[in-house]
Protein backbone atom coordinates (compact mmCIF):
# COMPACT_ATOMS: atom_id res chain seq x y z
CA UNK A 1 0.00 0.00 0.00
CA UNK A 2 1.53 3.33 -1.08
CA UNK A 3 1.37 6.36 1.13
CA UNK A 4 1.43 6.71 4.87
CA UNK A 5 -0.90 5.13 7.43
CA UNK A 6 -1.67 6.01 11.04
CA UNK A 7 -4.29 4.50 13.33
CA UNK A 8 -5.83 5.28 16.67
CA UNK A 9 -8.29 3.63 19.00
CA UNK A 10 -11.27 5.19 20.70
CA UNK A 11 -13.88 4.06 23.18
CA UNK A 12 -16.54 5.92 21.15
CA UNK A 13 -18.83 4.15 18.71
CA UNK A 14 -17.79 4.24 15.06
CA UNK A 15 -20.50 6.76 14.15
CA UNK A 16 -19.37 9.24 16.81
CA UNK A 17 -15.69 8.72 15.95
CA UNK A 18 -16.40 9.32 12.28
CA UNK A 19 -18.36 12.50 12.99
CA UNK A 20 -15.45 13.96 14.97
CA UNK A 21 -12.94 12.85 12.32
CA UNK A 22 -14.96 14.47 9.52
CA UNK A 23 -15.14 17.72 11.52
CA UNK A 24 -11.37 17.70 12.04
CA UNK A 25 -10.61 16.95 8.38
CA UNK A 26 -12.82 19.86 7.34
CA UNK A 27 -11.22 22.09 10.00
CA UNK A 28 -7.78 21.67 8.38
CA UNK A 29 -9.20 22.68 5.01
CA UNK A 30 -9.70 19.28 3.41
CA UNK A 31 -12.67 18.66 1.15
CA UNK A 32 -14.62 15.43 0.80
CA UNK A 33 -14.86 13.57 -2.48
CA UNK A 34 -18.62 13.38 -3.02
CA UNK A 35 -18.29 10.14 -5.03
CA UNK A 36 -16.26 8.40 -2.33
CA UNK A 37 -17.07 9.85 1.12
CA UNK A 38 -14.04 8.23 2.78
CA UNK A 39 -11.69 10.17 0.46
CA UNK A 40 -10.59 13.72 1.27
CA UNK A 41 -8.29 16.16 -0.54
CA UNK A 42 -6.00 18.91 0.65
CA UNK A 43 -6.04 22.30 -1.09
CA UNK A 44 -2.91 21.13 -2.93
CA UNK A 45 -4.69 18.03 -4.21
CA UNK A 46 -3.12 15.39 -1.94
CA UNK A 47 -5.56 12.53 -1.42
CA UNK A 48 -6.34 11.09 2.01
CA UNK A 49 -8.70 8.34 2.99
CA UNK A 50 -9.95 6.85 6.22
CA UNK A 51 -11.79 3.78 7.33
CA UNK A 52 -13.22 2.54 10.58
CA UNK A 53 -12.81 -1.02 11.78
CA UNK A 54 -13.31 -3.13 14.85
CA UNK A 55 -10.31 -2.85 17.22
CA UNK A 56 -9.74 -6.61 17.18
CA UNK A 57 -9.36 -6.57 13.39
CA UNK A 58 -5.60 -5.97 13.67
CA UNK A 59 -4.86 -5.75 17.39
CA UNK A 60 -4.27 -8.76 19.63
CA UNK A 61 -6.81 -9.34 22.44
CA UNK A 62 -4.16 -9.08 25.18
CA UNK A 63 -3.09 -5.68 23.87
CA UNK A 64 -6.69 -4.47 23.78
CA UNK A 65 -7.22 -5.70 27.35
CA UNK A 66 -4.14 -3.78 28.51
CA UNK A 67 -5.35 -0.59 26.81
CA UNK A 68 -8.85 -0.99 28.28
CA UNK A 69 -7.42 -1.49 31.75
CA UNK A 70 -5.26 1.64 31.56
CA UNK A 71 -7.83 3.73 29.68
CA UNK A 72 -10.66 2.67 31.95
CA UNK A 73 -12.85 1.73 28.99
CA UNK A 74 -12.95 -0.82 26.20
CA UNK A 75 -11.92 0.42 22.78
CA UNK A 76 -14.84 0.28 20.36
CA UNK A 77 -13.36 1.68 17.16
CA UNK A 78 -10.04 1.62 15.31
CA UNK A 79 -9.74 4.64 13.00
CA UNK A 80 -7.22 4.32 10.18
CA UNK A 81 -5.98 7.41 8.32
CA UNK A 82 -4.08 6.91 5.07
CA UNK A 83 -2.52 9.07 2.37
CA UNK A 84 -2.74 7.67 -1.12
CA UNK A 85 0.62 9.10 -2.25
CA UNK A 86 3.64 9.61 0.00
CA UNK A 87 4.60 13.21 0.74
CA UNK A 88 7.05 14.49 3.39
CA UNK A 89 4.21 16.29 5.20
CA UNK A 90 2.06 13.14 5.50
CA UNK A 91 3.23 11.88 8.87
CA UNK A 92 2.97 15.12 10.84
CA UNK A 93 -0.34 16.03 9.18
CA UNK A 94 -1.89 12.63 9.98
CA UNK A 95 -0.47 12.76 13.52
CA UNK A 96 -1.96 16.20 14.20
CA UNK A 97 -5.38 15.11 12.96
CA UNK A 98 -5.20 11.90 15.03
CA UNK A 99 -4.10 13.87 18.11
CA UNK A 100 -7.08 16.25 17.82
CA UNK A 101 -9.60 13.46 17.23
CA UNK A 102 -8.10 11.41 20.07
CA UNK A 103 -8.49 14.42 22.35
CA UNK A 104 -12.17 14.70 21.51
CA UNK A 105 -12.93 10.95 21.72
CA UNK A 106 -10.68 9.77 24.58
CA UNK A 107 -8.59 8.02 21.96
CA UNK A 108 -5.14 6.47 21.87
CA UNK A 109 -2.81 7.09 18.90
CA UNK A 110 -0.62 4.16 17.87
CA UNK A 111 3.00 5.22 17.28
CA UNK A 112 5.82 3.04 16.02
CA UNK A 113 9.35 4.12 16.88
CA UNK A 114 12.40 3.63 14.64
CA UNK A 115 14.29 2.18 17.59
CA UNK A 116 12.91 1.08 20.96
CA UNK A 117 11.96 4.25 22.85
CA UNK A 118 14.24 5.22 25.70
CA UNK A 119 12.99 5.15 29.27
CA UNK A 120 13.62 8.92 29.36
CA UNK A 121 11.33 9.52 26.37
CA UNK A 122 8.60 7.30 27.79
CA UNK A 123 8.83 9.07 31.18
CA UNK A 124 8.56 12.43 29.41
CA UNK A 125 5.47 11.37 27.44
CA UNK A 126 3.92 9.85 30.57
CA UNK A 127 4.59 13.02 32.57
CA UNK A 128 2.34 15.08 30.29
CA UNK A 129 -0.21 12.42 29.35
CA UNK A 130 -0.60 8.68 29.32
CA UNK A 131 1.60 6.30 27.38
CA UNK A 132 1.21 2.55 26.96
CA UNK A 133 4.42 0.91 25.75
CA UNK A 134 4.05 -2.17 23.55
CA UNK A 135 7.49 -3.25 22.35
CA UNK A 136 8.87 -0.89 19.73
CA UNK A 137 5.62 1.08 19.74
CA UNK A 138 3.27 2.89 22.09
CA UNK A 139 -0.28 4.08 22.41
CA UNK A 140 -0.39 7.76 23.36
CA UNK A 141 -3.36 9.68 24.66
CA UNK A 142 -3.94 13.16 23.19
CA UNK A 143 -1.72 14.97 25.69
CA UNK A 144 1.18 12.56 25.23
CA UNK A 145 0.71 12.70 21.45
CA UNK A 146 0.88 16.49 21.55
CA UNK A 147 4.14 16.21 23.53
CA UNK A 148 5.51 13.70 21.02
CA UNK A 149 4.69 16.04 18.11
CA UNK A 150 6.65 18.81 19.86
CA UNK A 151 9.55 16.60 20.95
CA UNK A 152 12.94 17.15 19.23
CA UNK A 153 13.20 13.40 18.50
CA UNK A 154 9.76 13.30 16.87
CA UNK A 155 9.61 11.00 13.87
CA UNK A 156 6.97 9.07 12.06
CA UNK A 157 7.23 5.47 10.98
CA UNK A 158 4.90 4.71 8.11
Amino acid sequence: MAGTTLSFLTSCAAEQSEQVLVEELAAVGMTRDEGYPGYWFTAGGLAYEYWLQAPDCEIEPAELQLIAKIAGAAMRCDVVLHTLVSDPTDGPALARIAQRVAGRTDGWVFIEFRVPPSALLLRHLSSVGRCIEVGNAAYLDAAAMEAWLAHPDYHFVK
Side-chain angles (χ1 to χ4, degrees), residues 6-84:
L6 178 75
S7 70
F8 61 93
L9 297 169
T10 176
S11 60
C12 294
E15 298 80 19
Q16 183 182 2
S17 300
E18 184 172 31
Q19 178 181 341
V20 172
L21 176 61
V22 165
E23 290 170 7
E24 291 296 338
L25 292 170
V28 296
M30 290 190 190
T31 55
R32 179 182 274 189
D33 182 321
E34 294 305 320
Y36 300 95
Y39 284 60
W40 288 70
F41 294 92
T42 64
L46 292 175
Y48 287 71
E49 70 176 317
Y50 72 84
W51 61 91
L52 310 171
Q53 59 191 22
D56 61 358
C57 183
E58 295 185 30
I59 302 168
E60 295 296 321
E63 200 168 300
L64 286 171
Q65 290 172 351
L66 174 64
I67 296 164
K69 180 179 178 182
I70 293 170
M75 298 296 108
R76 296 173 60 197
C77 185
D78 184 5
V79 180
V80 182
L81 301 172
H82 176 71
T83 58
L84 300 177

Side-chain angles (χ1 to χ4, degrees), residues 102-158:
R104 293 179 58 193
T105 63
D106 294 321
W108 293 82
V109 182
F110 179 74
I111 296 297
E112 290 183 86
F113 297 98
R114 286 189 192 115
V115 296
S118 69
L120 182 63
L121 174 60
L122 293 173
R123 274 195 307 276
H124 169 68
L125 296 174
S126 293
S127 73
V128 295
R130 294 186 295 166
C131 175
I132 304 169
E133 182 184 4
V134 287
N136 199 37
Y139 289 91
L140 306 178
D141 73 359
M145 185 64 193
E146 185 174 17
W148 177 233
L149 282 162
H151 196 276
D153 292 336
Y154 170 78
H155 61 272
F156 189 90
V157 178
K158 188 171 160 168

